[in-house]
Amino acid sequence: MEPIRRDALVKAAIAEIGEAGSLDVTVSQIARRAGMSSALAHHYFGSKEQMMVAAMRHILTLFGAEVRGALAMAKTPADRVEAIVRASFSSQNFRAETAAAWLNFYVEAQTSQPTRRLLGVYHRRLRSNLVFAFRPLVADPEQAAETVSALIDGVYLRQVLRSDAMTNAEAIGLILRAVDRLKDTRP
Amino acid sequence: MEPIRRDALVKAAIAEIGEAGSLDVTVSQIARRAGMSSALAHHYFGSKEQMMVAAMRHILTLFGAEVRGALAMAKTPADRVEAIVRASFSSQNFRAETAAAWLNFYVEAQTSQPTRRLLGVYHRRLRSNLVFAFRPLVADPEQAAETVSALIDGVYLRQVLRSDAMTNAEAIGLILRAVDRLKDTRP
DNA sequence: CGGGGTTTATTGACTCGTCAATCAAGAAGC
DNA sequence: GCTTCTTGATTGACGAGTCAATAAACCCCG
């Protein structure tokens, strides 16, 4: 029972956060969406914070799997960069719902140590993947990685707000063009 | 009295949000920091939301003034882009405190219509400044503007989280280098 | 089998705290 | 004496977390 319930709660939490656009969702709402009482949610998670951390870990796990999958197919360094960008904006990840949850985790990270840790792990992994991919392409792979990371986060952030949302294809196009410009043409 | 009180409250609100890293600051906390009772804060602002909107408008006003000032000094198109970037990361704006408030306004914008409107205004203004500056420099100024906007937001976002924070000089350097790469070298 | 006992699942009702917003009443100036 | 300031006290709502109690599943041994 436990794994089923926890799983249902995590998914309900993400859906609820996405819909509300805020971390201020009540445990009762989440529990109701997951088809149980709030008491049961507390029974399985102990606290709301732990539930939120689990939700975030879930998103990060999906994202990590997608990146790994895309990277496995990449042969050239340029392919690797493209794989990471494409995975970041896969239709799976690049939805108002997920972006909203993401944004709220950033906020949460300012006060919740576990959330901060988790986001740190994601950042380091993304960064190290990008640095590795960029190494044969540019003189300063650290800087290129930093730039692309910021660009990805920035496009996500704007997605949350804008009414005239970008499609994921547009987002990928925008970033890949920027990546193209980052590559050294003058050795 | 009214303008003095409102001003004190707005500044206290920004400071409090920055310190807490969250919009979940109580009216009482803000009022206390501004040296008055929470009842008085309500008297002058009517509601917490209106107070938050005023705080945001204040930040945006300062930011706008800084950009205008920097643009006034710029002669070449390249200068204009640089002016906007430098203003975005002026030590005035690029502080954990302000960045945290900024982030929280994005969250707020998801549920508060006035906040959303205000952020929209800022986005459009930034964008139009950038498009104008890029027009003589690149084939697709809209795209360049979009890229640089996202980059700015992305660097801010990461600033909020990271322990090994960037200095504003580093941030400016990162973005200006990217801008350099965006410029058309092949007509 | 088969029932007594133990563990697991589940909930409604409740506690406790917090906080935005209100109000009535007191000071202070004019 | 009227208006503008100002506050302490209060209200009302809401939400996280707890608890005691019920129901269901499982398990062991006679």
Side-chain angles (χ1 to χ4, degrees), chain B residues 3-183:
Chain B
I4 290 121
R5 291 302 195 186
R6 287 179 66 104
D7 199 61
L9 281 168
V10 159
K11 283 177 181 150
I14 294 170
E16 205 69 32
I17 291 170
E19 199 165 290
S22 154
L23 273 193
D24 290 345
V25 290
T26 70
V27 173
S28 301
Q29 282 167 9
I30 296 170
R32 193 173 331 122
R33 184 183 282 247
M36 70 195 84
S37 72
S38 75
L40 195 55
H42 275 102
H43 174 69
Y44 281 123
F45 271 107
S47 78
K48 186 182 179 180
E49 185 183 351
Q50 286 173 270
M51 209 164 92
M52 292 303 168
V53 170
M56 182 166 156
R57 179 170 287 127
H58 184 253
I59 289 183
L60 255 35
T61 301
L62 283 184
F63 177 76
E66 203 146 347
V67 170
R68 258 195 314 284
L71 278 179
M73 299 297 301
K75 275 304 157 199
T76 70
D79 280 354
R80 301 192 141 260
V81 176
E82 184 168 339
I84 294 166
V85 173
R86 286 194 181 276
S88 300
F89 292 96
S90 78
S91 43
Q92 180 70 245
N93 295 317
F94 193 54
R95 280 178 321 201
E97 196 180 325
T98 311
W102 204 256
L103 174 58
N104 282 283
F105 290 140
Y106 266 90
V107 173
E108 181 80 350
Q110 295 191 280
T111 52
S112 153
Q113 209 48 48
T115 307
R116 194 187 190 87
R117 237 199 57 248
L118 220 54
L119 264 186
V121 169
Y122 150 72
H123 269 181
R124 273 190 296 281
R125 197 159 53 196
L126 177 62
R127 179 192 168 76
S128 103
N129 279 334
L130 281 170
V131 169
F132 179 70
F134 268 121
R135 193 149 12 230
L137 295 174
V138 301
D140 188 344
E142 267 87 10
Q143 183 166 104
E146 190 71 30
T147 304
V148 172
S149 301
L151 207 40
I152 291 174
D153 279 4
V155 171
Y156 260 90
L157 188 60
R158 294 169 155 261
Q159 188 70 356
V160 170
L161 184 66
R162 286 175 32 172
S163 40
D164 60 330
M166 268 190 183
T167 67
N168 61 339
E170 286 166 345
I172 293 170
L174 183 81
I175 296 190
L176 287 184
R177 259 185 300 270
V179 166
D180 223 50
R181 296 307 187 94
L182 284 176
K183 290 180 196 158

Side-chain angles (χ1 to χ4, degrees), chain A:
Chain A
M1 253 312 75
E2 174 156 347
I4 290 122
R5 291 303 196 186
R6 287 179 66 104
D7 199 62
L9 281 168
V10 160
K11 283 176 182 150
I14 294 170
E16 205 69 31
I17 292 169
E19 199 165 290
S22 155
L23 272 192
D24 290 345
V25 289
T26 70
V27 174
S28 302
Q29 282 167 8
I30 297 170
R32 193 172 331 121
R33 185 183 281 249
M36 71 194 84
S37 72
S38 76
L40 195 55
H42 276 102
H43 174 69
Y44 281 122
F45 271 107
S47 77
K48 186 181 178 179
E49 184 181 352
Q50 287 174 269
M51 211 164 92
M52 292 303 168
V53 170
M56 181 165 157
R57 180 170 284 126
H58 184 253
I59 289 183
L60 255 35
T61 302
L62 283 184
F63 177 76
E66 203 147 346
V67 171
R68 261 196 310 285
L71 279 178
M73 298 297 301
K75 274 305 157 199
T76 70
D79 281 353
R80 300 191 140 259
V81 176
E82 184 168 338
I84 294 166
V85 173
R86 286 195 180 276
S88 300
F89 292 97
S90 78
S91 41
Q92 181 68 248
N93 294 319
F94 193 55
R95 279 178 322 201
E97 194 181 324
T98 311
W102 204 255
L103 174 58
N104 282 283
F105 290 141
Y106 266 91
V107 173
E108 180 81 351
Q110 295 191 279
T111 51
S112 153
Q113 209 49 48
T115 306
R116 194 187 190 85
R117 240 199 55 249
L118 220 54
L119 263 187
V121 169
Y122 149 72
H123 270 181
R124 274 189 296 282
R125 195 159 54 197
L126 176 62
R127 180 193 166 76
S128 104
N129 278 333
L130 280 170
V131 169
F132 179 70
F134 268 121
R135 193 150 8 233
L137 295 174
V138 301
D140 189 343
E142 268 87 11
Q143 182 165 105
E146 192 70 29
T147 304
V148 172
S149 302
L151 208 39
I152 291 174
D153 279 3
V155 171
Y156 260 91
L157 189 59
R158 293 170 153 260
Q159 187 70 358
V160 171
L161 184 65
R162 283 174 36 168
S163 39
D164 60 330
M166 269 189 183
T167 67
N168 61 340
E170 286 166 343
I172 292 170
L174 182 81
I175 296 189
L176 286 184
R177 258 184 300 268
V179 165
D180 223 50
R181 296 306 189 92
L182 284 176
K183 290 180 194 159
D184 284 324
T185 46
R186 17 175 168 171

